[in-house]
Amino acid sequence: MRITDTKFNADVTWKIRLKSNVNHRHLILHLNDCNEHLLPTMSILTRLLVAVLCFGSLKTHSVAESSQFCEKDGLKENCGETKEDRSTFSSSLGVRYLLYDVNPPEGFNLRRDVYMRLAIFMHEMKNEENWRLVLPPWGQLYHWQSSNVGEQTKLPWRMFFDVKSLQKFAPVIEMEEFLGSVQKKRPPIDEVYILQHYKDVWEEGKEWQDRWNIEGCIESIPYSKSGKAYTGPFWTYKNLSAQKVECASFQGHAALLKGILRQSRAKVVMIDHAEVALHDRYGDHIYWECRRSMRFARHLVEIAQSFRKQQLDSSDDKDMVKRPDNWLEEREYTTTGGGPYLAVHLRRKDFLWGRAKQVPDLQFAADQIEKIIKKLQLETIFIATDAPKHEFAELKTHLSKFKVLRFEPSPTLKYEIKDGGVAIVDQIICSHAKYFIGTHESTFSFRIQEEREIMGFQRNTTFNRLCGREEGIPCTQPTQWPIVFK
């Protein structure tokens, strides 16, 4: 409810927020001016409000809570801890929502990177405007090809990540919470901006500069007008549509999105092809805070722990790996241990033609693995791979002197955690090994290297890759990206 007295230049705003399961209310009074000498000129109601605020006879309540950004689960509201104060938000539109999507062919781990770009942007924006970043549901991705795991669409982030941990860094919510807040609004999305590269971006001699413009769409778009609203993919939700869809030629970092958002008065804005926006803070302490906040879902961590214990004789205590439950408590340290096994990520499928020169054949991969495991004096090899069963069996014959394992969940477990959960368990197991070897330019390997860097493994045990037969040995190894703490 908003009350403005025309005789007084104070704009008095009431906001009521009902706190779930608590039989009381938070009242906020905001005054642009507080001049006791003007009290006689005001109406009785306004005079009462100003007197209450100016003379302190009633204490106003901040909406700051120990749980600022919340994830709704059914009828319950489960909130993560945060030190931030919601009263610092200043948007005159109240809560606003930023949705985003990514080029459909992009994989799971590239999408995680795009999330970081948007999360860091929201982290920087949250003290200026009252935005919520809506986590896009996971859908059918290229590598999610299992036919016996049920439908792999509209999967919430909590299936794979600890959303409360994410919320300690940025104001993020699940899609279902967003839908619950705008379910009476049609169409739910006010504006969609499809990011596209400028036509002249690849012109020789063209000077790079951050820029954006609303322009005509260069390529066909998956949105079409149906009546008064636009329909489109929208993560396969049939009840989602948009009032307006425009293309924005975009060249620059994610912070440039601020220009698009601030020229709009829309409450719900969606950015499509968000991968076009570049990292603002790549490699600095803010980047690593965001990355550290991306803890995996607890049930997946427990599955990985069980496999390590039963199959690899590995546990955090035995391996001398330290990692506090809360990422905010992490400090820089060096881990000299690790599980008593060699971990290898061997990418196959699309990399056999996309990175043919850098991906080894199975025999050449086995030769390299055998050489390294003998040097490490280990006997067990864990393989994370998208190779079909017959290729994995062939690889094992080349490494018959050693114990070679991969994570193969039961049909029931695989149905529960889906292909994405299997991939994360693979990454967790690889990240705890004494030594890791990855695949050239694979984001799956990059994410493992980041996990190991966070846990403090020595970099010569982390930033390694298999060489292609055409390259020969040695080949160029991965760039090392050291972690940075504030």
Side-chain angles (χ1 to χ4, degrees):
M1 178 171 62
R2 188 178 185 85
I3 304 173
T4 303
D5 194 298
T6 57
K7 297 181 181 180
F8 184 50
N9 63 347
D11 185 16
V12 183
T13 304
W14 290 52
K15 296 179 183 176
I16 301 295
R17 180 179 185 272
L18 292 176
K19 188 173 182 181
S20 61
N21 301 323
V22 180
N23 197 21
H24 70 276
R25 297 178 177 181
H26 290 276
L27 174 64
I28 302 172
L29 301 177
H30 171 69
L31 239 56
N32 293 335
D33 194 1
C34 189
N35 189 332
E36 62 186 271
H37 301 295
L38 293 177
L39 285 173
T41 69
M42 291 183 281
S43 65
I44 295 175
L45 176 59
T46 307
R47 192 182 309 175
L48 176 61
L49 291 174
V50 175
V52 164
L53 182 64
C54 296
F55 302 123
S57 60
L58 174 67
K59 291 185 179 179
T60 60
H61 292 272
S62 163
V63 295
E65 298 171 24
S66 62
S67 303
Q68 178 184 356
F69 308 121
C70 304
E71 172 200 355
K72 288 185 178 178
D73 186 9
L75 298 177
K76 298 180 180 179
E77 190 174 67
N78 302 320
C79 302
E81 296 178 358
T82 178
K83 297 180 180 179
E84 294 162 325
D85 186 346
R86 191 179 292 179
S87 64
T88 59
F89 295 132
S90 58
S91 172
S92 60
L93 295 176
V95 177
R96 301 174 74 186
Y97 300 94
L98 179 62
L99 288 70
Y100 75 95
D101 206 354
V102 180
N103 187 27
E106 302 296 354
F108 186 63
N109 292 287
L110 187 281
R111 289 169 183 268
R112 288 170 59 182
D113 186 74
V114 175
Y115 160 77
M116 289 184 62
R117 305 175 203 183
L118 275 295
I120 291 171
F121 172 59
M122 286 286 100
H123 176 83
E124 302 288 341
M125 282 277 286
K126 67 186 176 185
N127 289 329
E128 301 177 28
E129 298 185 36
N130 195 359
W131 285 93
R132 295 291 180 270
L133 180 63
V134 181
L135 299 170
W138 299 97
Q140 189 71 47
L141 303 180
Y142 170 78
H143 281 93
W144 294 2
Q145 299 181 358
S146 297
S147 59
N148 59 345
V149 296
E151 188 177 3
Q152 299 195 88
T153 58
K154 300 190 188 79
L155 303 181
W157 276 60
R158 64 177 176 272
M159 281 195 67
F160 308 123
F161 297 95
D162 182 344
V163 175
K164 292 180 182 178
S165 181
L166 301 180
Q167 291 167 342
K168 292 175 183 177
F169 178 81
V172 303
I173 61 172
E174 293 271 29
M175 177 64 76
E176 61 195 35
E177 182 174 348
F178 162 74
L179 293 175
S181 66
V182 297
Q183 58 184 353
K184 296 180 181 180
K185 183 178 182 296
R186 293 292 183 270
I189 301 173
D190 297 311
E191 299 171 353
V192 176
Y193 295 95
I194 307 169
L195 302 189
Q196 61 186 10
H197 295 290
Y198 278 90
K199 291 181 180 179
D200 62 2
V201 69
W202 309 118
E203 288 184 8
E204 187 175 351
K206 188 73 176 181
E207 182 180 354
W208 176 274
Q209 59 179 356
D210 283 3
R211 52 179 175 153
W212 70 271
N213 295 94
I214 303 298
E215 298 184 343
C217 300
I218 298 173
E219 299 179 354
S220 62
I221 61 174
Y223 302 94
S224 59
K225 194 75 174 287
S226 177
K228 295 183 179 180
Y230 285 87
T231 58
F234 297 124
W235 308 280
T236 71
Y237 285 99
K238 295 181 179 180
N239 59 336
L240 276 181
S241 58
Q243 292 186 32
K244 182 173 74 172
V245 175
E246 292 185 310
C247 287
S249 294
F250 191 93
Q251 179 175 290
H253 300 82
L256 198 61
L257 294 171
K258 188 181 295 186
I260 295 178
L261 299 185
R262 287 189 170 171
Q263 58 88 38
S264 170
R265 298 293 294 171
K267 186 178 183 67
V268 181
V269 179
M270 175 179 167
I271 302 294
D272 201 352
H273 282 271
E275 75 280 355
V276 173
L278 305 176
H279 269 289
D280 284 321
R281 311 290 295 267
Y282 197 83
D284 69 1
H285 75 275
I286 296 294
Y287 170 92
W288 280 103
E289 284 180 8
C290 182
R291 180 61 183 81
R292 286 160 47 207
S293 74
M294 297 184 72
R295 292 291 185 91
F296 295 124
R298 187 64 201 170
H299 65 280
L300 298 179
V301 174
E302 290 174 351
I303 291 169
Q305 287 175 338
S306 177
F307 184 91
R308 289 168 53 208
K309 181 179 180 180
Q310 295 175 14
Q311 303 293 331
L312 299 168
D313 190 29
S314 170
S315 68
D316 287 353
D317 289 338
K318 285 184 177 180
D319 303 345
M320 296 180 289
V321 173
K322 299 178 181 179
R323 198 171 192 185
D325 291 336
N326 186 345
W327 66 268
L328 291 169
E329 298 174 2
E330 288 175 333
R331 299 294 181 267
E332 187 172 7
Y333 46 80
T334 300
T335 297
T336 57
Y341 56 97
L342 168 65
V344 180
H345 171 226
L346 179 60
R347 178 79 170 263
R348 304 290 290 169
K349 290 190 177 178
D350 58 325
F351 267 41
L352 291 177
W353 53 266
R355 301 284 192 281
K357 184 178 179 180
Q358 291 83 17
V359 175
D361 57 73
L362 297 177
Q363 179 65 67
F364 196 57
D367 293 343
Q368 296 174 70
I369 293 170
E370 182 172 357
K371 182 177 180 180
I372 293 171
I373 196 170
K374 285 182 176 179
K375 184 178 180 180
L376 295 171
Q377 298 182 336
L378 296 173
E379 298 178 352
T380 304
I381 305 165
F382 177 80
I383 307 287
T385 182
D386 59 351
K389 289 185 177 181
H390 72 273
E391 286 193 359
F392 182 67
E394 180 184 341
L395 181 65
K396 288 180 69 174
T397 62
H398 297 315
L399 296 166
S400 58
K401 299 177 183 177
F402 308 97
K403 182 181 180 181
V404 181
L405 301 170
R406 72 188 299 184
F407 175 62
E408 297 180 288
S410 68
T412 301
L413 180 58
K414 190 173 182 180
Y415 189 92
E416 291 176 0
I417 67 176
K418 311 298 185 187
D419 286 338
V422 174
I424 285 177
V425 172
D426 272 344
Q427 289 183 321
I428 296 172
I429 296 170
C430 286
S431 67
H432 283 80
K434 181 176 285 293
Y435 196 97
F436 172 69
I437 312 171
T439 293
H440 178 67
E441 292 185 348
S442 166
T443 54
F444 189 98
S445 289
F446 292 163
R447 302 292 86 85
I448 294 169
Q449 290 161 354
E450 289 171 345
E451 287 292 309
R452 292 175 63 85
E453 184 68 9
I454 291 169
M455 288 188 284
F457 281 92
Q458 295 181 10
R459 293 183 184 120
N460 65 340
T461 70
T462 293
F463 295 94
N464 309 288
R465 74 168 177 95
L466 295 168
C467 302
R469 188 179 288 276
E470 289 187 40
E471 292 179 292
I473 301 174
C475 60
T476 304
Q477 294 299 297
T479 301
Q480 296 186 8
W481 291 100
I483 191 169
V484 177
F485 286 86
K486 186 175 180 180

